[in-house]
Amino acid sequence: MKKSNDFDNIIYKYYKENNQVPQKITEAIWDVELKSKKKKISYFTNVKKVAITIISIISITTGIVFAKDISEFIKSIFNDSEGVDTATRNGYVYTVPEKIYSESDNTKTSITDLLMDDYTLDLNMIALFEEDIDVTGIEKINIPDIIITDDMNNILFSMNDETIKKYCQEKNLDYNNINKINTAASIFIAKANLNNMAFTYNLSTSENKFPKSKKIYIKFNTIQLEGNEKKYTITGNWENSISVPEKFYNRKSILYNVINCNNKNVYTDSIKAEVYETGMKFEMYMYWGDYKTAIEEMEEIRNKSILDGQLIKQEESYVENEYGEKFYPSQSSDTDGGYGIGSDGILIKYETFNLTKFDATDKLKVVFKTINDEEIIIELAR
Amino acid sequence: MEELIKKIQKGDEVAFKQLTQSMEKDLYVIAKLRLKNDDDIKDAIQNTMISVYKNAKKIRNIKYFKTWMFRILINECNKIYNSNNRKNNILDKLKVNSTYNNYENSIQLIDDKLNFESIINQLNYDEKIIITLYYHSQFSCAEISKLLKININTVKSRLKRAKDKLKKQYGEVEIYEKK
């Protein structure tokens, strides 16, 4: 053994000999845009780093609003997923008993319905415009400066950073440390007649859960309307708020454990299965096999049929409860499902199913169909 | 260095990049204690640079510039580490459980026993960072105390504990090599 007074030198020597910096780090120092915003650190961006290629990986779409086909808007309250419909049918919805309007520039807005759980926030609103604005035939609505926040100053949704900065200034909050939920959103018009309009916001998150908010605030200054050869931009200052009912903020999801799996390549310890009010999130890791072979196999089949060219076919995946009812992937937003395969041959599968807390039984069975038409069956229990 | 810092405070980007490059070995080694992946290290260093550059004017005593920058780096690394944590835990488990990697792992274990890096890696993070800041970046105990926001006596005791552990492990490896 070395003498202890030599030991400091051993440590110094070790560090002197082991401090090589990879070229890419040196380059990164010179390439960095110092006036840009900091890169967002998220779980899924890091998944991307594991893989050389990611197929159909989730997209975190902060602040981006998707157009939504309103032709399907028939009876459902929010025109969201089947899971949301199940929840609303079971009373998991709040309809405001007496509308409270925010009025500015002769235009009034109000919140009419709300649904909130860990991954979904749906809001119905109405707008009453002044008489010379006829919204009949209007097909598109855009509210570019909307900011949705809660009683704990969480940013639940906003499309641009300037709005958030303004909010932080008003509230005296540190912009760099504000909690902003990564939210994907869609907005659509449910009804447009004369000077009345009803519209809906569907917000969803995958990476972070929505907080247990007790009050939600909606603030905006611009409403853009378009359609039927008409175009309006209405400006004002609208501030709506809604108290969140206890059933929403006291929500609790159900976690399931694996009791059996028919495929030895699935790492059962990695499985995360969570049932909440409007859906079920599922995530698993498995060893797929040689990465190159998998990609080649996929490409070969994909040339014939894109749907069949998925390593795990989303359309044929489902979760089954103890009554034999099957619930399929929700696909209600871009953040709902997909998979990624890494160069190490490990496949990460995540999915949102339309099974809700209202359909859940003590045991569940998740079934995935692979590219080779093999079934991966995972049995779960509360 | 003081001249560079004054230029940085006036918004000189090149000066800031020069200064950062002069510290790149320290930054890299510290970040590597927390993060395994070079892409993550790159993100942590770049985010640190953006924060430091943006707030450079606010620092009054420029002799603490380096300490301050390292503190921001450590925070950035912790953010990425926490974000990766769940995934890494799962992947680590997979590596242990997977029959595909067992052979490779056992070879790696034997190799690891023979190098000092593996001995350092056996320390916990709190010990590793103190040892690295002290021996690699050559900060004093007082500076480390400021940087990590812990009491100077805690720094000294952790440094001693870490050294004792290293010495013990090093001795064991030497005996192992002689056999």
Side-chain angles (χ1 to χ4, degrees):
Chain A
M1 194 185 288
K2 304 271 178 194
K3 284 178 190 172
S4 60
N5 55 358
D6 289 338
F7 197 69
D8 284 342
N9 292 334
I10 291 169
I11 306 175
Y12 281 126
K13 188 169 174 273
Y14 162 75
Y15 279 119
K16 207 175 169 188
E17 289 169 358
N18 290 278
N19 61 5
Q20 297 306 308
V21 178
Q23 186 63 24
K24 70 188 313 187
I25 301 293
T26 307
E27 286 168 5
I29 289 171
W30 286 97
D31 290 346
V32 64
E33 291 285 333
L34 291 169
K35 287 172 187 161
S36 66
K37 280 198 73 181
K38 290 202 282 182
K39 270 187 196 171
K40 251 197 155 72
I41 305 305
S42 76
Y43 167 63
F44 283 105
T45 54
N46 287 307
V47 168
K48 283 181 189 168
K49 285 170 193 161
V50 176
I52 290 171
T53 308
I54 289 284
I55 307 103
S56 170
I57 196 82
I58 197 161
S59 65
I60 299 297
T61 46
T62 308
I64 294 172
V65 176
F66 298 97
K68 206 161 184 175
D69 180 7
I70 61 160
S71 62
E72 288 173 21
F73 185 81
I74 312 165
K75 293 166 195 145
S76 68
I77 296 179
F78 297 107
N79 191 26
D80 203 332
S81 64
E82 278 179 43
V84 168
D85 285 350
T86 306
T88 55
R89 276 200 310 275
N90 284 279
Y92 195 77
V93 58
Y94 175 62
T95 299
V96 179
E98 202 170 326
K99 293 178 195 77
I100 300 166
Y101 288 97
S102 167
E103 185 169 1
S104 178
D105 199 32
N106 296 325
T107 296
K108 294 199 279 187
T109 62
S110 179
I111 302 166
T112 57
D113 307 281
L114 169 75
L115 181 149
M116 187 179 198
D117 67 13
D118 285 346
Y119 301 98
T120 312
L121 174 58
D122 284 343
L123 279 158
N124 283 344
M125 295 188 72
I126 53 168
L128 307 176
F129 300 99
E130 58 183 300
E131 279 179 8
D132 57 346
I133 295 180
D134 180 2
V135 294
T136 311
I138 293 289
E139 289 161 348
K140 282 183 195 165
I141 180 169
N142 186 28
I143 307 178
D145 51 13
I146 192 167
I147 181 162
I148 305 179
T149 57
D150 73 358
D151 51 306
M152 294 171 279
N153 292 320
N154 295 301
I155 312 281
L156 307 179
F157 177 66
S158 171
M159 282 193 282
N160 70 61
D161 288 333
E162 287 311 310
T163 309
I164 299 174
K165 278 180 190 162
K166 206 173 141 195
Y167 173 79
C168 290
Q169 274 172 1
E170 283 167 10
K171 295 269 174 185
N172 206 16
L173 300 167
D174 179 3
Y175 169 74
N176 292 314
N177 288 318
I178 192 94
N179 183 31
K180 183 176 186 308
I181 313 293
N182 281 321
T183 311
S186 60
I187 179 174
F188 66 95
I189 298 167
K191 191 182 160 194
N193 186 30
L194 299 174
N195 62 343
N196 295 301
M197 179 175 278
F199 59 97
T200 296
Y201 263 105
N202 296 152
L203 307 178
S204 61
T205 175
S206 315
E207 193 188 7
N208 316 108
K209 290 182 176 185
F210 281 119
K212 306 270 169 80
S213 315
K214 289 188 174 167
K215 194 145 189 176
I216 290 175
Y217 302 91
I218 301 173
K219 203 175 164 188
F220 51 97
N221 299 103
T222 315
I223 304 172
Q224 294 166 339
L225 304 171
E226 200 183 326
N228 202 17
E229 296 180 349
K230 285 188 275 193
K231 222 171 179 179
Y232 298 106
T233 297
I234 303 133
T235 53
N237 180 24
W238 295 278
E239 291 185 31
N240 296 101
S241 65
I242 185 166
S243 293
V244 178
E246 194 184 342
K247 64 182 170 190
F248 293 165
Y249 64 75
N250 273 343
R251 64 188 183 260
K252 203 175 173 194
S253 55
I254 309 164
L255 296 176
Y256 282 77
N257 298 311
V258 180
I259 49 172
N260 195 24
C261 177
N262 71 338
N263 188 316
K264 65 178 173 43
N265 286 341
V266 171
Y267 302 109
T268 51
D269 286 351
S270 72
I271 289 176
K272 187 183 158 196
E274 181 184 14
V275 176
Y276 51 99
E277 285 73 12
T278 63
M280 173 183 180
K281 294 274 179 211
F282 184 88
E283 186 183 306
M284 73 170 187
Y285 287 56
M286 70 180 288
Y287 181 77
W288 185 267
D290 179 61
Y291 172 78
K292 230 179 130 186
T293 314
I295 298 297
E296 282 167 7
E297 186 179 17
M298 202 172 60
E299 281 304 315
E300 195 187 325
I301 297 176
R302 193 170 270 199
N303 288 336
K304 294 174 199 160
S305 159
I306 287 176
L307 286 183
D308 291 340
Q310 302 172 73
L311 291 178
I312 293 183
K313 300 179 192 175
Q314 192 177 31
E315 286 69 20
E316 294 177 52
S317 305
Y318 62 88
V319 56
E320 190 177 324
N321 67 12
E322 286 180 85
Y323 303 117
E325 294 170 297
K326 289 178 183 174
F327 301 85
Y328 291 88
S330 95
Q331 297 177 319
S332 67
S333 83
D334 280 11
T335 60
D336 276 342
Y339 61 86
I341 184 167
S343 50
D344 50 8
I346 291 172
L347 181 139
I348 307 165
K349 171 68 187 163
Y350 49 92
E351 195 58 81
T352 302
F353 291 103
N354 277 323
L355 177 131
T356 72
K357 263 172 96 169
F358 305 97
D359 317 294
T361 49
D362 286 347
K363 289 182 181 171
L364 297 171
K365 188 168 79 176
V366 174
V367 179
F368 291 118
K369 184 77 83 65
T370 71
I371 194 166
N372 303 313
D373 284 333
E374 287 162 11
E375 280 190 340
I376 300 171
I377 301 171
I378 301 132
E379 292 172 48
L380 306 166
R382 277 189 199 220
Chain B
M1 188 170 175
E2 281 187 14
E3 276 309 304
L4 275 180
I5 295 171
K6 280 177 188 165
K7 281 184 181 176
I8 293 161
Q9 290 187 314
K10 285 177 187 162
D12 188 332
E13 289 194 18
V14 177
F16 181 55
K17 288 178 179 178
Q18 278 174 349
L19 179 75
T20 309
Q21 198 180 12
S22 73
M23 297 190 291
E24 67 173 2
K25 286 180 178 171
D26 288 317
L27 294 167
Y28 182 72
V29 170
I30 296 296
K32 206 168 170 60
L33 293 176
R34 207 38 150 177
L35 306 170
K36 291 173 187 167
N37 180 316
D38 275 352
D39 283 329
D40 286 339
I41 294 174
K42 190 183 93 177
D43 286 350
I45 291 176
Q46 288 192 328
N47 279 351
T48 302
M49 288 177 72
I50 292 168
S51 273
V52 170
Y53 180 75
K54 196 174 155 193
N55 297 298
K57 281 181 194 163
K58 291 179 191 166
I59 189 154
R60 286 179 194 162
N61 194 342
I62 55 177
K63 78 174 182 182
Y64 295 126
F65 192 91
K66 190 177 169 186
T67 318
W68 174 60
M69 187 156 174
F70 274 74
R71 194 162 72 209
I72 292 171
L73 176 74
I74 290 166
N75 287 341
E76 287 295 334
C77 292
N78 286 343
K79 272 188 215 167
I80 298 174
Y81 173 82
N82 291 335
S83 168
N84 284 351
N85 208 11
R86 182 170 177 275
K87 184 180 131 270
N88 286 344
N89 282 343
I90 292 166
L91 288 176
D92 285 348
K93 264 189 202 168
L94 304 188
K95 278 175 189 155
V96 172
N97 295 337
S98 168
T99 51
Y100 304 95
N101 295 314
N102 280 352
Y103 175 73
E104 205 179 307
N105 282 351
S106 61
I107 296 292
Q108 189 60 40
L109 278 175
I110 294 164
D111 284 348
D112 280 352
K113 277 214 158 195
L114 302 176
N115 71 54
F116 198 77
E117 187 177 356
S118 72
I119 300 173
I120 287 188
N121 281 337
Q122 286 172 35
L123 299 176
N124 65 38
Y125 177 73
D126 287 343
E127 295 161 346
K128 255 193 288 189
I129 195 155
I130 286 178
I131 281 275
T132 310
L133 287 168
Y134 188 83
Y135 286 98
H136 183 273
S137 306
Q138 307 201 355
F139 282 109
S140 67
C141 287
E143 285 170 326
I144 296 171
S145 154
K146 277 207 176 85
L147 203 156
L148 298 179
K149 287 187 179 169
I150 51 177
N151 186 288
I152 190 165
N153 292 327
T154 311
V155 174
K156 286 177 183 169
S157 63
R158 279 189 196 165
L159 187 63
K160 185 181 178 308
R161 191 175 69 204
K163 265 175 74 176
D164 287 347
K165 276 191 188 175
L166 288 176
K167 257 189 245 176
K168 186 170 178 281
Q169 291 292 328
Y170 188 67
E172 283 173 3
V173 171
E174 283 221 320
I175 292 161
Y176 173 86
E177 279 179 304
K178 278 173 191 166
K179 279 179 184 174

